[in-house]
Amino acid sequence: MPVTLNHFLVVSAMLFCIGLYGALAKRNAVAILMGIELMFNAVNVALVAFSRFGPVSTVAGQPVPLTGQAFAIFILTVAAAEAALGLGIILAIYRRRETIDPDRLNLLKW
């Protein structure tokens, strides 16, 4: 049985749902960050699958290869920066408050 675009989209949707559950249901800031990263990777799987199985885009009559892969690398870069910044913020909050429970963090509340 050949692997088609639908297979990749189902895997991507499942990864995204797992990440969404992790981001919304967990009470640990690190687990929330991991859920967000999982959602980023689900988008990467979908982009690469669309690039592989979708119509070939052209610029001036020439096919443009690796469009989805280029977007995936861009998303990986943004995700790495987001993870580094998020972990830095979590470390700073933990040093000051000694907790990373999002429900107990009310720094921005009046």
Side-chain angles (χ1 to χ4, degrees):
M1 183 169 104
V3 178
T4 63
L5 177 62
N6 289 336
H7 293 98
F8 286 103
L9 293 181
V10 167
V11 169
S12 175
M14 289 173 33
L15 278 175
F16 191 86
C17 289
I18 292 170
L20 185 64
Y21 172 75
L24 294 178
K26 296 296 179 182
R27 298 182 55 124
N28 187 333
V30 176
I32 291 171
L33 275 178
M34 289 170 52
I36 292 170
E37 294 294 326
L38 204 54
M39 288 190 287
F40 275 134
N41 286 326
V43 171
N44 285 338
V45 169
L47 283 174
V48 173
F50 278 123
S51 175
R52 168 66 177 88
F53 293 103
V56 176
S57 60
T58 59
V59 173
Q62 298 294 323
V64 180
L66 304 176
T67 306
Q69 287 87 345
F71 280 120
I73 289 173
F74 178 72
I75 289 174
L76 284 174
T77 306
V78 171
E82 175 262 335
L85 186 64
L87 287 174
I89 290 171
I90 289 171
L91 277 175
I93 289 172
Y94 182 75
R95 286 181 181 159
R96 181 172 289 248
R97 297 283 184 115
E98 296 184 359
T99 183
I100 54 172
D101 185 6
D103 291 336
R104 296 184 61 199
L105 301 177
N106 56 2
L107 295 174
L108 298 178
K109 293 180 182 176
W110 286 95

